[in-house]
Amino acid sequence: MEVLTEQMLRSEILNKDVSEYFIEEGVFVTPSAKEYLASRKIELKIKPKNCNKGSSTSNPKSYGIREIENMEYYIDYETNKRLDTKPENYTHLYKNVLVEKNHPRIILRGKLDSLLSLIVDIEYQFKERHEDKLVDYLKKYQKLVHTILYSEAANKGLEFDTIFGLTEEEIRKMSHHPKEYFGCDHIFVNCDMPFTVIKLNLIRTAVREVEIVAYEALKSEREDLIKLLNRMSSAIYILMLMAHTGKDITK
């Protein structure tokens, strides 16, 4: 039984200009997800299974879309027990699987959401200061966080490719040996450093916090996600070195 939540929508379409969102017949849509679509004036459309978008309809009720609370039953993630109703102190992990609202994975989602807010705030500040190159880098970084959010919420794996065009090995070498690549020693942030370095350091520390929370929540399940977060903090450190030295060595 598929479920569409507000968190999944935000991760997928937050920065996209769309007027329609298609789901397959039988998908349950949470009330908050519907409110999110309505707030952005995005029309929810249903496509019958095995049909393309051209045969969809704009009338969800004709396909029996129900609110999430009307599911026949739920599953407690921790105990695997069946629940006939959704307790107020529980929330959706994925599909019809529930956890308590203070579950480590829900805390992780909150941390990722806070990280996105921080990135957007700093993007805005950089844009006001005409730091266009750094804004471009942070927009790419923001999309990567969206990908992580979607991957975790949808319970789908991730494959590491590149960050800012840098491979995993290049990120490791550059972040560990700044003298070789940037001509400077490791930097320790202080108030005399450039504004951009100080702000980027806020993102770096926030990503480290997310990484720790992710390890607590997923250490036996999602090595791919934990590994990517580790590389992401190093990638931000590389941006800090670029801002500090004025040297852009990414591809």
Side-chain angles (χ1 to χ4, degrees):
M1 185 179 296
E2 294 292 332
V3 174
L4 180 65
T5 68
E6 179 186 0
Q7 191 78 33
M8 294 169 70
L9 279 172
R10 287 181 179 275
S11 300
E12 185 179 354
I13 64 172
L14 183 61
N15 289 320
K16 296 180 180 179
D17 183 15
V18 296
S19 60
E20 300 175 337
Y21 188 88
F22 292 86
I23 62 173
E24 288 189 352
E25 178 183 354
V27 172
F28 287 95
V29 184
T30 66
S32 61
K34 287 186 176 182
E35 289 174 5
Y36 176 70
L37 290 172
S39 70
R40 291 190 51 184
K41 296 181 172 56
I42 299 173
E43 186 177 4
L44 181 65
K45 291 191 172 184
I46 315 302
K47 57 178 180 177
K49 293 181 179 179
N50 302 320
C51 291
N52 56 34
K53 292 182 180 179
S55 61
S56 62
T57 175
S58 60
N59 183 10
K61 291 184 179 179
S62 66
Y63 286 98
I65 292 296
R66 295 175 290 166
E67 301 293 341
I68 194 74
E69 286 80 3
N70 292 331
M71 281 184 171
E72 293 180 3
Y73 68 92
Y74 304 91
I75 299 295
D76 186 318
Y77 177 75
E78 294 294 340
T79 65
N80 206 35
K81 291 182 178 178
R82 172 174 170 150
L83 301 172
D84 293 326
T85 58
K86 177 178 171 290
E88 283 297 322
N89 61 324
Y90 275 67
T91 189
H92 292 273
L93 185 58
Y94 52 85
K95 297 184 179 179
N96 65 331
V97 179
L98 304 180
V99 291
E100 291 189 77
K101 291 183 178 180
N102 64 348
H103 189 276
R105 285 182 64 170
I106 304 306
I107 294 173
L108 170 61
R109 292 176 188 180
K111 281 286 186 180
L112 286 166
D113 201 20
S114 296
L115 174 60
L116 279 173
S117 298
L118 177 64
I119 293 170
V120 171
D121 181 63
I122 293 175
E123 280 177 3
Y124 181 82
Q125 294 180 58
F126 283 5
K127 184 178 179 180
E128 291 286 293
R129 298 170 66 94
H130 305 290
E131 298 285 354
D132 298 334
K133 188 67 174 178
L134 287 174
V135 171
D136 288 341
Y137 279 123
L138 288 183
K139 284 182 178 179
K140 294 176 183 177
Y141 200 80
Q142 181 182 345
K143 288 181 180 179
L144 188 53
V145 179
H146 288 155
T147 301
I148 290 174
L149 263 169
Y150 179 78
S151 170
E152 191 281 324
N155 220 30
K156 294 182 179 180
L158 280 172
E159 289 187 12
F160 181 91
D161 184 17
T162 62
I163 303 176
F164 307 140
L166 300 173
T167 65
E168 180 180 358
E169 182 62 18
E170 287 172 330
I171 290 172
R172 190 192 67 79
K173 287 181 178 179
M174 290 180 188
S175 61
H176 282 68
H177 306 285
K179 192 79 171 179
E180 179 180 347
Y181 293 93
F182 295 93
C184 69
D185 294 321
H186 283 289
I187 56 177
F188 298 93
V189 178
N190 60 69
C191 64
D192 296 319
M193 285 188 167
F195 176 87
T196 50
V197 175
I198 293 171
K199 290 298 182 178
L200 287 170
N201 192 52
L202 291 176
I203 298 177
R204 184 191 65 82
T205 56
V207 174
R208 293 290 289 167
E209 291 178 4
V210 172
E211 181 187 354
I212 293 170
V213 173
Y215 181 76
E216 288 296 322
L218 302 168
K219 57 187 173 184
S220 62
E221 301 176 56
R222 296 297 304 274
E223 182 180 349
D224 59 333
L225 196 152
I226 296 167
K227 181 179 180 180
L228 178 57
L229 284 167
N230 180 269
R231 301 302 180 268
M232 286 175 67
S233 62
S234 297
I236 286 292
Y237 182 58
I238 289 172
L239 283 193
M240 291 170 60
L241 290 166
M242 289 183 193
H244 181 63
T245 63
K247 187 175 182 181
D248 187 344
I249 59 174
T250 63
K251 297 175 182 177

